[in-house]
Amino acid sequence: MESAVFYTRVSTDSQKERKTIEYQDALAKELITNNQHFLVHEYKDEGFTGETLDREQLDKMREGARAGSFKNLYVFDLDRISRTMEEQIFVVKELMKNGIDIYTHKGKLDSNEDGKKILYITAIVAEMEKMNTLARTREAKRQKARRNVVVGHKTSTGYDYKKDWNPVTNEYVRDGRYEPNGKWKKIVNIIFDTYLDLRSIRGVTKYMQDNGYPTPMGGARWGKTTIKNILTRTDYIGTMFYNKHYSIETKSGQDRKYKKVVRTGRRLRDRKEWIGIDVPPIVDEKKYKLVQDILAKNSTNKRRNDKYKYLLTEVDKFCLLCGCRINKTPYHGVSYYKCDNKGHRFPLPRDCFAGAVKSETIDDYVWSKTADIILNPDILLAKVKDTISNHNRTLGSIDNEKSILLKEKSDLCKQSKAIVDCLTKIKDWDENAIKDLQEKLNSFYKRLRIIDEELSVLEAHHNEQSVDGCLSKKSIKDFCKLAVNSMKKFSFEDKQKFVKMILSKVDIDTVSKKIKVKIMIPSLNDNSSLLLRT
Ligand SMILES: [Zn+2]
């Protein structure tokens, strides 16, 4: 007589299920007697779902099989082992490898239909596993975010990223969560309170430094950007956003001055594509709203108060001697540009002594140089050529991403077809197996829809980036002529707007009066931004 064990799983404590279990129990024992086997052990996992293999008794049963302590396994149905096809197959194959014969209420597994089907679809499942892992993790992250699970590695200031330890598997559970960090919750609130008090970001920066609070990175010097980021994070009132950006491959070593033109790197998604994830709030909502109101008001005030006229208001300006930003500094009714070394180094003493320069001097020089460039078709033509080649590079990376998606799409279609074939060819299929395959199929279709969406976004992008390559020297010359005439009629505001468009960076050495300007060409298909007054 051969030895036998019985395995069962009870997912709930309900009366009804108890009854079924009793029935299954009795049936198994009857089968065991009929097959002239003798029962050596009963494995029962109570209160477990079939979604996970992390079950104590299941583990013990598998151990027993490995150790050869029984020859036959009785389960009422294969779904007792697992609800998912892959795991069912995994365990069944493992048991068979250990020489175990498996019996269900339909009979012995190997020779019956279930057994054959399991082996048949093992191949398909293995094929599915080869699916593009990159795309899968990307979608998995988005799914996680939709389930309100924290994704990504960067933890916002004020929180700790926590993962729970699972003593059964002896490892951390996969999904982590945000928990307020006591110390940082306090500091974040100090920043909010101080801002409400002083109503100035610079003031908060100084306060944090004077009181010796370390920055989130552990440094001693607080930057205005850090403070502003903290004051505007929605995490603090309970919602962090995932899926805000999507990225386009950035070519390393690309000349920085064209960055604004091709806009490589991260791009902001449409607001409705953002996925909000609930996190524990750490700042009072009223306080948060009040801060946002003041921030908005201050930023409009700042523009209105700008009574001094600076041509380079919205152009990035840097000190050639120390690399710090150049600020506008009105002094006794006269406007100056001055290196911000002092503010940047604060509280350390400044280490650049470039003096202030009258803004008029710089502005006039920069404007005449800019005009020279517009007057010179050769310079402009060279820039246009560069710009086009940059556009083409971006198009290349869009095409690249597109081809990856198209490859995944065709793989998914093939696999879906294999499943459909499988579903149509076989009759009398076990209901759960069909259900599993259909679920798989649905997940494929879902992914296919997402791929199509992503493809259409890329398509739109591609069109946006497209450049008409047939710009002739003559058309450039015509354009220059038109531009010269138009520029004569420019108001100061027009000039401001124009240099903002055309200059990406201005480096100023206020000591030896050297100025370096970096020119950029605005996006060429963006006609509105190139339209000059006629
Ligand atoms: Zn400087």
Side-chain angles (χ1 to χ4, degrees):
M1 276 226 294
E2 284 180 359
S3 57
V5 296
F6 174 56
Y7 174 79
T8 194
R9 172 180 58 81
V10 200
S11 50
T12 60
D13 278 334
S14 81
Q15 203 69 20
K16 198 180 149 206
E17 191 156 1
R18 287 260 160 239
K19 279 261 155 59
T20 4
I21 292 304
E22 275 163 32
Y23 163 73
Q24 292 177 9
D25 236 88
L27 189 78
K29 277 168 194 162
E30 198 188 309
L31 282 172
I32 291 172
T33 324
N34 288 350
N35 290 337
Q36 296 199 322
H37 294 149
F38 70 95
L39 184 67
V40 291
H41 197 79
E42 286 179 53
Y43 296 98
K44 274 186 192 171
D45 275 317
E46 304 205 30
F48 283 90
T49 88
E51 311 283 313
T52 166
L53 283 182
D54 290 336
R55 279 169 265 146
E56 196 192 348
Q57 293 297 310
L58 180 71
D59 278 348
K60 287 210 168 132
M61 186 268 283
R62 287 164 68 189
E63 255 167 52
R66 278 192 286 268
S69 53
F70 61 90
K71 180 74 183 66
N72 301 287
L73 169 72
Y74 284 81
V75 285
F76 180 74
D77 208 342
L78 287 178
D79 73 351
R80 296 295 98 191
I81 288 174
S82 173
R83 281 241 173 246
T84 77
M85 203 67 211
E86 288 99 325
E87 288 177 349
Q88 234 178 60
I89 289 164
F90 176 77
V91 176
V92 167
K93 279 184 80 181
E94 179 194 271
L95 292 168
M96 284 175 163
K97 215 174 80 191
N98 289 316
I100 307 293
D101 288 336
I102 302 165
Y103 292 84
T104 69
H105 71 287
K106 293 179 200 160
K108 196 174 170 187
L109 193 66
D110 201 7
S111 55
N112 73 14
E113 282 295 294
D114 272 358
K116 278 182 211 148
K117 277 165 206 161
I118 280 194
L119 296 177
Y120 177 67
I121 60 167
T122 305
I124 296 174
V125 174
E127 189 59 34
M128 289 168 188
E129 292 308 308
K130 284 190 211 152
M131 241 169 56
N132 186 327
T133 40
L134 178 90
R136 215 164 28 165
T137 45
R138 203 161 32 166
E139 174 54 17
K141 272 189 185 170
R142 242 174 277 176
Q143 296 279 2
K144 268 169 89 173
R146 286 197 186 104
R147 281 190 287 120
N148 245 347
V149 175
V150 173
V151 275
H153 306 287
K154 238 180 122 190
T155 313
S156 307
T157 304
Y159 295 95
D160 288 326
Y161 183 63
K162 285 257 169 81
K163 276 186 167 191
D164 289 326
W165 180 261
N166 183 339
V168 179
T169 56
N170 239 19
E171 55 190 24
Y172 286 108
V173 297
R174 263 175 65 185
D175 297 337
R177 64 197 143 77
Y178 269 175
E179 254 182 26
N181 172 307
K183 177 186 155 196
W184 277 99
K185 182 181 169 177
K186 235 183 245 165
I187 296 182
V188 165
N189 274 285
I190 289 171
I191 291 173
F192 272 82
D193 292 338
T194 313
Y195 184 74
L196 284 182
D197 227 21
L198 305 173
R199 309 206 160 205
S200 131
I201 290 178
R202 200 190 141 81
V204 179
T205 316
K206 194 168 176 308
Y207 178 90
M208 297 310 281
Q209 250 146 214
D210 289 351
N211 288 281
Y213 289 107
T215 67
M217 300 299 284
R221 269 189 26 226
W222 284 82
K224 282 194 278 187
T225 339
T226 314
I227 299 289
K228 182 146 190 229
N229 283 346
I230 287 176
L231 289 174
T232 50
R233 289 209 80 119
T234 55
D235 306 30
Y236 301 144
I237 48 166
T239 312
M240 71 169 271
F241 284 101
Y242 180 69
N243 216 34
K244 265 173 93 166
H245 299 93
Y246 62 102
S247 35
I248 291 291
E249 211 175 315
T250 316
K251 294 273 188 293
S252 59
Q254 189 178 309
D255 193 337
R256 272 205 66 199
K257 69 182 164 183
Y258 289 117
K259 223 180 145 198
K260 283 184 185 168
V261 181
V262 291
R263 289 184 298 217
T264 51
R266 278 150 74 85
R267 289 156 201 249
L268 209 60
R269 283 179 196 274
D270 197 63
R271 179 68 179 76
K272 58 178 184 283
E273 283 184 66
W274 297 8
I275 302 168
I277 301 173
D278 291 344
V279 291
I282 61 172
V283 172
D284 177 68
E285 206 170 329
K286 267 189 207 152
K287 195 198 285 181
Y288 182 88
K289 285 218 172 99
L290 207 55
V291 165
Q292 305 316 308
D293 288 347
I294 299 167
L295 280 171
K297 221 164 96 196
N298 280 355
S299 87
T300 47
N301 274 350
K302 211 164 140 195
R303 274 198 204 119
R304 225 176 288 136
N305 289 344
D306 215 351
K307 60 183 168 191
Y308 301 94
K309 286 192 169 180
Y310 296 88
L311 179 69
L312 304 176
T313 296
E314 289 189 66
V315 179
D316 286 337
K317 307 167 285 296
F318 298 95
C319 171
L320 255 178
L321 301 176
C322 70
C324 290
R325 280 187 173 277
I326 299 258
N327 285 343
K328 303 169 289 179
T329 357
Y331 185 73
H332 289 295
V334 185
S335 44
Y336 292 90
Y337 287 124
K338 194 174 181 239
C339 151
D340 187 38
N341 185 278
K342 197 178 159 194
H344 181 74
R345 296 257 307 162
F346 185 90
L348 300 169
R350 66 172 173 162
D351 60 1
C352 171
F353 296 91
V357 177
K358 268 189 192 167
S359 65
E360 217 184 331
T361 323
I362 305 263
D363 288 352
D364 286 351
Y365 180 76
V366 169
W367 181 250
S368 72
K369 276 288 152 199
T370 311
D372 277 355
I373 288 153
I374 291 300
L375 282 170
N376 187 336
D378 287 336
I379 293 180
L380 196 57
L381 190 61
K383 298 290 174 195
V384 169
K385 275 184 184 160
D386 262 11
T387 312
I388 289 172
S389 89
N390 262 315
H391 272 281
N392 290 342
R393 263 189 277 164
T394 312
L395 288 182
S397 73
I398 291 176
D399 285 345
N400 192 26
E401 194 168 336
K402 232 167 101 178
S403 72
I404 290 171
L405 285 171
L406 286 172
K407 167 88 175 56
E408 196 196 341
K409 189 176 170 176
S410 96
D411 285 352
L412 282 173
C413 289
K414 269 184 222 155
Q415 285 162 8
S416 311
K417 202 177 164 293
I419 295 180
V420 174
D421 280 354
C422 185
L423 281 169
T424 47
K425 256 182 220 155
I426 295 177
K427 300 182 176 62
D428 289 337
W429 193 300
D430 171 51
E431 219 179 280
N432 284 316
I434 294 176
K435 227 190 275 164
D436 275 324
L437 279 185
Q438 273 168 346
E439 260 167 39
K440 202 99 213 169
L441 208 53
N442 284 342
S443 80
F444 281 8
Y445 288 153
K446 212 163 137 198
R447 175 70 195 145
L448 280 170
R449 276 197 298 276
I450 289 164
I451 289 176
D452 279 339
E453 267 171 43
E454 283 183 5
L455 280 172
S456 68
V457 171
L458 285 178
E459 194 61 45
H461 237 65
H462 193 281
N463 294 338
E464 191 185 297
Q465 291 290 334
S466 285
V467 169
D468 191 356
C470 50
L471 274 165
S472 65
K473 192 159 180 176
K474 185 179 176 301
S475 68
I476 297 276
K477 272 187 177 160
D478 289 346
F479 168 77
C480 290
K481 253 190 241 163
L482 181 69
V484 172
N485 287 330
S486 304
M487 282 166 75
K488 285 179 188 154
K489 299 171 197 157
F490 272 16
S491 70
F492 192 80
E493 284 72 27
D494 288 336
K495 285 182 182 178
Q496 266 182 339
K497 270 186 219 154
F498 190 77
V499 293
K500 184 194 166 193
M501 269 182 351
I502 213 130
L503 300 178
S504 65
K505 191 182 171 198
V506 178
D507 287 307
I508 304 169
D509 175 345
T510 56
V511 178
S512 60
K513 306 271 190 301
K514 260 193 286 186
I515 300 176
K516 254 169 59 182
V517 295
K518 279 201 169 186
I519 309 282
M520 62 169 184
I521 308 297
S523 187
L524 285 168
N525 61 336
D526 188 1
N527 290 327
S528 59
S529 62
L530 264 186
L531 196 68
L532 302 168
R533 278 193 187 176
T534 48

